[in-house]
Amino acid sequence: MTESATSKLLNGDVCHRTSNGKKASKNGFILTSCFVLFFVDVQNQNVPHNSSLYKKPFVESFEETPLWVAVLTYMGYGILTIFGYLRDFLRHWDIEKCHVARERDEQKDFVPLYQDFENFYTRNLYMRIRDNWNRPICSVPGAKVDLVERVTHDYNWTFEHTGKVVKDVINMGSYNYLGFAENTGACADAALEVTKMYGVGVGSTRCEMGNLDIHEEMEQLVARFLGVESAMAFGMGFATNSMNIPALMGKKLLRDAIVHGQPRTHRPWKKILIVVEGIYSMEGSIVRLPEVIALKKRYKAYLYLDEAHSIGALGPNGRGVVDYFGLDSKDVDIMMGTFTKSFGAAGGYIGGKKELIDYLRRHSHSAMYATSMSPPVAQQIITSMKIIMGEDGTTLGADRLRQLSQNTTYFRRRLHEMGFIIYGNDDSPVVPLMLYMPAKIGAFGREMLKRNIGTVVVGFPATPIIESRARFCVSAAHTREMLDTVSPISNILLLLIAKAFYQCRLMKHKSLLLSSFLRPHTYLQHGLFFL
């Protein structure tokens, strides 16, 4: 779709590029497959929108990376790259030991297993901070977790367990939005009873001998929860998209779909599928669903809504972005979501018209070849969903929804008050805090863990190269005391700035470093120190 077409989306509204220090919108439309397929990436919402479509304020912020921060960040990657090539030279001549797996001489003419840059990045950049990921957890991933302590003696190439356990680490990384990741309570008790009745595994696919009555009960409940005619569940959340979109769309290369149109005739596409996410997990932004629906109706398209992060986490009733905006679920043709986050289970679902679901039952690879969902997992979904809907006879579901909303508002406000740059919508429980420079990714994650706070740090290639960040996921299970423990991050940044002052001894920046003690968070985010 051209810019001139998108500029006339809604009642003559025009999407302008901003020039006031904020980033221009990165909303994009990707056309592919047998239909024309749009992926709408709503990273930046700093564009005008049609306020008449919204029933309440819609506030999102994406502050542009300062120019000098971007320059310093590129310099940081440049220095790492130079030293990476130097170390590769030393490894080539066996001066430094090479830990990475390499092909044998007789395999040199084979197709390489890795691209050159991908392998280089893994060896020389990722390995330096690898200790921040894949930490073994030995408890329920609730509001607090226990971690298996590990050490490395070869700079993160291998790890050894010390036999010790780091207790009561505040969990700010898991997608446990409503706090259903627990081993006690109604959900755990119900799953235990179902395990005694059905066992753990099914041993067959849904279309053969693996279709249980508990599966059909779950799907009927999901359809009622979403407000759609029918629904179908799958055992893996990722496969819900990867195995079903091809069944709906067929195959077509992106460039050919955009430039050449339909095969042979080259005419414009007659069917268009718009694919959007409810909450974008790296940005914390919420899709502008009212505008997307208006766009869909204008061009007579179909809408595929991925609510992996938003289902259960948004809306007064926990029904996702449709509920959040007060819209009609019938305006969304295909509703997709996962059970791995707000429901504390596994798998995913697709909901919509009965004809759509019947078609997927016959053509979806996941339905035809994948093993059925485990019965205790299905029961976990049923019980947690009934709690959210209030069908358990209690107000526990409403209380958790309200607590998540309050925790999200409080945590975001505290970070704003401290001067941090955070991305996303004010109502999103995904809270990215910008770090920018690569050296801060590892330093921030390690210092947080030293204070018994577990968080996720993210960098390139999962984010743009100059937009490394720490990502906090707020949960209804978090108490105000836990959030207050996490909020004073400026103490950590103060320590890192003092360390930089000691190591670098940059006298020309001494006044800046001293002033940073008053607002240390600002200077950490703006890339003053190198580690």
Side-chain angles (χ1 to χ4, degrees):
M1 178 173 292
T2 63
E3 185 177 357
S4 61
T6 55
S7 67
K8 300 182 293 184
L9 294 182
L10 304 167
N11 299 328
D13 283 0
V14 181
C15 296
H16 297 283
R17 295 186 180 274
T18 59
S19 58
N20 57 351
K22 298 181 180 179
K23 281 196 271 187
S25 173
K26 293 185 180 179
N27 293 359
F29 300 89
I30 300 179
L31 293 75
T32 184
S33 193
C34 179
F35 307 86
V36 178
L37 175 61
F38 288 9
F39 284 90
V40 181
D41 179 9
V42 193
Q43 178 195 348
N44 192 340
Q45 300 283 1
N46 291 322
V47 294
H49 63 270
N50 190 349
S51 58
S52 64
L53 296 174
Y54 296 86
K55 300 178 181 179
K56 59 180 179 179
F58 187 78
V59 181
E60 293 192 341
S61 61
F62 296 92
E63 184 173 335
E64 184 178 13
T65 304
L67 177 61
W68 67 284
V69 174
V71 171
L72 290 176
T73 302
Y74 282 122
M75 288 177 56
Y77 277 105
I79 293 171
L80 289 172
T81 301
I82 293 172
F83 275 93
Y85 279 114
L86 175 61
R87 298 185 69 180
D88 278 353
F89 175 81
L90 298 177
R91 294 183 186 117
H92 177 74
W93 295 102
D94 295 326
I95 300 175
E96 178 180 333
K97 182 178 179 181
C98 182
H99 298 272
V100 70
R102 290 188 288 188
E103 298 167 340
R104 297 190 297 270
D105 290 338
E106 57 268 25
Q107 296 175 320
K108 293 298 183 181
D109 294 330
F110 288 16
V111 176
L113 296 177
Y114 301 99
Q115 296 179 358
D116 290 339
F117 180 75
E118 178 184 355
N119 205 4
F120 176 85
Y121 185 89
T122 302
R123 289 193 309 270
N124 299 298
L125 282 78
Y126 169 72
M127 282 298 170
R128 298 171 65 93
I129 54 177
R130 181 171 169 242
D131 56 302
N132 284 279
W133 296 285
N134 306 320
R135 291 167 176 154
I137 296 176
C138 55
S139 68
V140 175
K144 291 186 177 182
V145 294
D146 297 337
L147 302 180
V148 177
E149 187 180 71
R150 60 181 184 176
V151 295
T152 178
H153 303 290
D154 53 8
Y155 302 100
N156 296 334
W157 285 98
T158 60
F159 294 97
E160 295 179 4
H161 295 166
T162 64
K164 300 178 181 179
V165 175
V166 183
K167 294 282 189 179
D168 296 330
V169 177
I170 298 176
N171 182 8
M172 297 299 297
S174 296
Y175 307 129
N176 183 30
Y177 297 130
L178 292 181
F180 282 114
E182 52 193 1
N183 55 3
T184 58
C187 292
D189 295 341
L192 178 60
E193 293 300 319
V194 167
T195 303
K196 294 178 181 178
M197 181 182 302
Y198 293 94
V200 175
V202 178
S204 183
T205 64
R206 291 288 298 275
C207 62
E208 293 176 330
M209 297 294 292
N211 188 36
L212 305 181
D213 57 346
I214 194 172
H215 293 143
E216 297 193 357
E217 178 188 355
M218 175 186 60
E219 290 176 343
Q220 293 171 6
L221 180 63
V222 171
R224 188 155 48 86
F225 179 68
L226 298 175
V228 296
E229 294 180 8
S230 184
M232 184 178 181
F234 305 89
M236 181 181 178
F238 177 79
T240 306
N241 276 333
S242 63
M243 295 290 103
N244 288 294
I245 291 181
L248 295 169
M249 302 295 298
K251 297 180 180 179
K252 186 67 179 173
L253 294 178
L254 170 62
R255 181 175 298 175
D256 290 341
I258 297 175
V259 177
H260 301 298
Q262 297 186 44
R264 294 187 298 275
T265 64
H266 303 296
R267 293 177 178 175
W269 295 98
K270 294 182 179 180
K271 294 182 180 180
I272 302 173
L273 181 66
I274 302 174
V275 182
V276 296
E277 293 186 48
I279 292 179
Y280 288 85
S281 60
M282 282 297 165
E283 312 299 336
S285 58
I286 299 175
V287 66
R288 294 180 177 182
L289 193 59
E291 298 183 47
V292 174
I293 289 177
L295 178 72
K296 166 213 160 183
K297 291 180 177 179
R298 176 174 184 136
Y299 291 98
K300 297 180 175 59
Y302 298 89
L303 178 57
Y304 186 111
L305 176 61
D306 180 343
E307 295 214 73
H309 287 268
S310 55
I311 191 68
L314 287 180
N317 303 299
R319 290 180 169 89
V321 289
V322 175
D323 186 29
Y324 175 77
F325 288 111
L327 303 173
D328 189 348
S329 59
K330 295 180 181 179
D331 288 331
V332 180
D333 301 284
I334 306 170
M335 302 187 71
M336 176 270 170
T338 62
F339 302 119
T340 54
K341 301 169 180 68
S342 293
F343 302 95
Y349 66 83
I350 285 184
K353 292 184 178 180
K354 188 176 185 301
E355 306 94 278
L356 167 71
I357 303 304
D358 290 343
Y359 175 86
L360 289 177
R361 293 187 192 279
R362 298 190 303 269
H363 294 87
S364 170
H365 290 174
S366 186
M368 299 294 292
Y369 305 117
T371 304
S372 300
M373 183 182 290
S374 174
V377 173
Q379 185 59 51
Q380 166 78 18
I381 297 167
I382 292 173
T383 307
S384 59
M385 191 169 291
K386 285 185 175 179
I387 291 175
I388 295 173
M389 298 171 69
E391 295 186 1
D392 63 333
T394 70
T395 61
L396 180 60
D399 293 341
R400 295 195 183 209
L401 291 169
R402 182 171 56 255
Q403 188 63 49
L404 174 61
S405 178
Q406 292 175 354
N407 285 352
T408 298
T409 302
Y410 177 77
F411 189 67
R412 280 183 169 273
R413 186 179 70 246
R414 289 279 288 130
L415 294 181
H416 270 302
E417 291 172 351
M418 296 170 64
F420 290 105
I421 300 175
I422 62 175
Y423 275 7
N425 192 285
D426 287 353
D427 295 326
S428 171
V430 179
V431 186
L433 184 148
M434 304 311 294
L435 300 176
Y436 297 117
M437 298 186 62
K440 299 171 193 171
I441 301 174
F444 187 85
R446 296 180 191 120
E447 292 298 329
M448 292 289 279
L449 185 59
K450 288 179 182 179
R451 290 153 180 79
N452 265 31
I453 302 170
T455 188
V456 174
V457 286
V458 191
F460 179 82
T463 68
I465 195 168
I466 60 172
E467 294 185 5
S468 300
R469 66 200 63 182
R471 186 184 63 180
F472 299 99
C473 291
V474 181
S475 171
H478 289 140
T479 64
R480 188 60 59 88
E481 290 74 20
M482 293 179 187
L483 298 179
D484 286 337
T485 301
V486 177
S487 295
I489 306 171
S490 56
N491 295 334
I492 299 175
L493 311 189
L494 178 63
L495 174 64
L496 295 177
I497 290 172
K499 181 179 179 181
F501 181 80
Y502 174 76
Q503 291 178 339
C504 298
R505 299 180 182 276
L506 300 176
M507 297 307 296
K508 61 180 179 179
H509 291 305
K510 186 172 182 180
S511 60
L512 280 176
L513 287 168
L514 290 175
S515 64
S516 70
F517 281 84
L518 299 177
R519 298 187 66 204
H521 44 274
T522 303
Y523 290 90
L524 176 83
Q525 288 185 313
H526 288 180
L528 191 58
F529 71 92
F530 297 86
L531 296 179

